[in-house]
Amino acid sequence: MFVLELTYTAPLERVDAVLPEHVEWLQKEYAAGHFIAAGRKVPRDGGVILAAGTDRATVERIVAEDPFTVAGVCEYRITEFVATTTAPALEQYREQLPS
């Protein structure tokens, strides 16, 4: 599983200009089964996405396709972790530690 942390590198006016395309991209990645949650940070200086069911190379490709990345309005920090415990509703995402 991955935590994708976005930090805006441009004024909110530029971010908002690309927001409709970013939302379409999010919906595409939800439909593909890559994302399980996303939202704005508070204060609004970026966002967070939880991604699952894929490898780091795929996540890096997905992030590179984000309209925010293409427009140069954010930077990503990608953190991989092993979700060994989850809420019952997220049990399908539970992972085992590598041996």
Side-chain angles (χ1 to χ4, degrees), residues 35-54:
F35 293 169
I36 58 173
R40 292 178 176 173
K41 293 193 289 187
V42 178
R44 187 179 173 206
D45 61 1
V48 175
I49 301 169
L50 295 181
T54 191

Side-chain angles (χ1 to χ4, degrees), residues 63-75:
V63 164
E65 295 171 354
D66 179 357
F68 279 177
T69 301
V70 173
V73 300
C74 83
E75 292 180 347

Side-chain angles (χ1 to χ4, degrees), residues 6-85:
L6 296 79
T7 302
Y8 297 145
T9 58
L12 286 178
E13 299 79 33
R14 285 193 50 214
V15 172
D16 287 341
V18 187
L19 188 58
E21 292 87 1
H22 174 75
V23 170
E24 286 179 25
W25 169 83
L26 285 169
Q27 292 170 343
K28 180 184 91 169
E29 297 305 332
Y30 276 113
H34 297 144
F35 293 169
I36 58 173
R40 292 178 176 173
K41 293 193 289 187
V42 178
R44 187 179 173 206
D45 61 1
V48 175
I49 301 169
L50 295 181
T54 191
D55 57 49
R56 186 172 195 94
T58 301
V59 167
E60 289 173 353
R61 178 191 52 78
I62 290 168
V63 164
E65 295 171 354
D66 179 357
F68 279 177
T69 301
V70 173
V73 300
C74 83
E75 292 180 347
Y76 272 89
R77 177 176 176 219
I78 301 171
T79 304
E80 185 173 2
F81 74 103
V82 180
T84 56
T85 57

